[in-house]
Amino acid sequence: MSQFHEPLPPTGGKAQSLTPDSVRQTSQPQVAHNVALILGGGGAAGNAWEIGIIAGLAEAGFDMAEAADLVVGTSAGATAAAQVRSGIPAVDLLASVLSPPVQPVGQNRERPPSLPMATVFERMRAISAAATSAADLQRAMGAFGLESDSTLEPGAGQRRAVVAARLPSHEWPDRPMIVTAVDAHTGELAAFNRDSGVDLVDAVTASTALPGLVPTVSINGTRYIDGGVRSSENADLASGYANVVVLAPLGGRIGTLPEGQFEGLRRPPEWGTDLASQVEALRKQGSHVEVITPDADSRAAMGTNQMDPAARIPAARAGFAQGKQEAAWVTFR
């Protein structure tokens, strides 16, 4: 297991739009809560791997779903967060991943409109290379998402139905959970929770709306894109928690994928939105942080295209095996 370490201020109450600076504003917050679970983005394979890890930890006697006082989900991790917070035992969530997918009732079986993936990745690389700050990157990715809506918007209803079918419950859980997205107009981070007045399905659909691949999501008149545009994990939202456990499907994979695969958005450390910087900041503020990234077997199982649904079953199985091993290393203080 990789280990990092630290805290920031607790994020509760109304849904809020946040900037990287506002998230880091409090320099020495009090560590007031015990355990936060951060579930990062990583496509279909990443979601399945996270469920496998959580089921493996539970199998070894370490129930993160029960232990977590807060769960933060970003992109594929938003789906995993809603699954973990549903109250369904981890072993049953894993069994669901290992079962053939069920098509939502009434869903159009025709493929929704799309842009060529290679074209989308090329555009993302160009945006990433040109960005001079985290805010600049987020605004540019939002503009790309809004621009792509002219082609992708007809598939919005179908996509929402797919997301809804993945969620065991369409109601926000009673226990604290945050789902992240990015305002496509301003580039600001939005942290949705049960007090936001936002439908859970809409929040998760927004958090998984990768620009250029799927349409932006309209919530109360504002368009949102994937929360992973700001950070693959948004681990800094665990500020104020004594213990933070981060599951990072993309950890260790950036820069290791073969040519033609998307290696992720460029995030220089000085921006503070990469995982290592966020973990360092949390540790400096007093949190005990542990980060779990895919081991060699899990990386092999997840393959080179993490968006490929065919990678879900092998990724979940590998995550389950890894999770049982990781249980020996996860500690709370």
Side-chain angles (χ1 to χ4, degrees):
M1 173 200 301
S2 325
Q3 287 193 357
F4 301 97
H5 184 158
E6 274 161 66
L8 317 183
T11 52
K14 299 294 183 182
Q16 48 193 313
S17 289
L18 305 169
T19 63
D21 286 340
S22 68
V23 170
R24 295 193 295 270
Q25 240 172 18
T26 305
S27 58
Q28 292 297 329
Q30 296 297 314
V31 175
H33 301 279
N34 195 26
V35 181
L37 172 64
I38 308 296
L39 300 175
N47 169 267
W49 174 80
E50 289 177 321
I51 296 301
I53 288 285
I54 291 168
L57 289 170
E59 175 76 8
F62 202 97
D63 189 346
M64 278 303 306
E66 179 61 30
D69 299 297
L70 170 70
V71 177
V72 178
T74 293
S75 196
T79 303
Q83 292 165 334
V84 168
R85 274 297 199 227
S86 68
I88 295 175
V91 64
D92 293 333
L93 292 175
L94 177 62
S96 179
V97 175
L98 298 177
S99 302
V102 178
Q103 178 111 348
V105 176
Q107 180 181 323
N108 184 348
R109 291 182 179 271
E110 293 183 6
R111 292 177 63 88
S114 62
L115 298 172
M117 190 168 289
T119 300
V120 172
F121 289 166
E122 181 179 355
R123 179 69 178 276
M124 287 184 180
R125 290 187 182 100
I127 290 172
S128 183
T132 58
S133 67
D136 186 32
L137 172 66
Q138 290 155 215
R139 285 191 297 265
M141 287 292 286
F144 176 40
L146 294 170
E147 170 194 322
S148 302
D149 279 349
S150 59
T151 299
L152 303 175
E153 182 62 27
Q158 182 177 346
R159 181 169 181 276
R160 187 183 188 279
V162 169
V163 172
R166 295 171 180 158
L167 306 185
S169 171
H170 294 173
E171 302 298 324
W172 284 91
D174 292 333
R175 300 184 67 196
M177 179 177 79
I178 292 173
V179 170
T180 69
V182 168
D183 186 320
H185 308 281
T186 67
E188 293 180 333
L189 177 68
F192 297 119
N193 61 23
R194 64 175 289 118
D195 298 323
S196 303
V198 173
D199 182 271
L200 176 60
V201 175
D202 288 337
V204 175
T205 305
S207 188
T208 56
L210 191 60
L213 293 182
V214 295
T216 64
V217 176
S218 179
I219 299 176
N220 298 330
T222 299
R223 291 275 172 177
Y224 292 94
I225 58 173
D226 197 309
V229 165
R230 190 259 182 174
S231 164
S232 296
E233 297 81 18
N234 291 296
D236 49 352
L237 294 184
S239 172
Y241 283 78
N243 300 281
V244 181
V245 176
V246 182
L247 303 192
L250 291 176
R253 295 176 68 81
I254 302 301
T256 66
L257 298 179
E259 186 176 354
Q261 293 297 323
F262 185 52
E263 66 277 8
L265 297 171
R266 180 184 67 91
R267 295 187 179 94
E270 58 267 26
W271 292 0
T273 52
D274 65 298
L275 178 58
S277 297
Q278 292 183 344
V279 167
E280 182 182 1
L282 285 170
R283 287 178 174 162
K284 284 180 181 176
Q285 296 174 49
S287 294
H288 172 72
V289 185
E290 301 198 37
V291 179
I292 299 176
T293 61
D295 62 14
D297 289 341
S298 290
R299 288 196 300 272
M302 294 164 82
T304 58
N305 181 2
Q306 297 202 191
M307 297 180 189
D308 185 358
R312 284 180 58 78
I313 289 177
R317 287 176 174 157
F320 180 66
Q322 183 182 349
K324 289 190 289 185
Q325 297 173 348
E326 297 287 354
W329 300 98
V330 177
T331 59
F332 293 159
R333 67 178 191 195

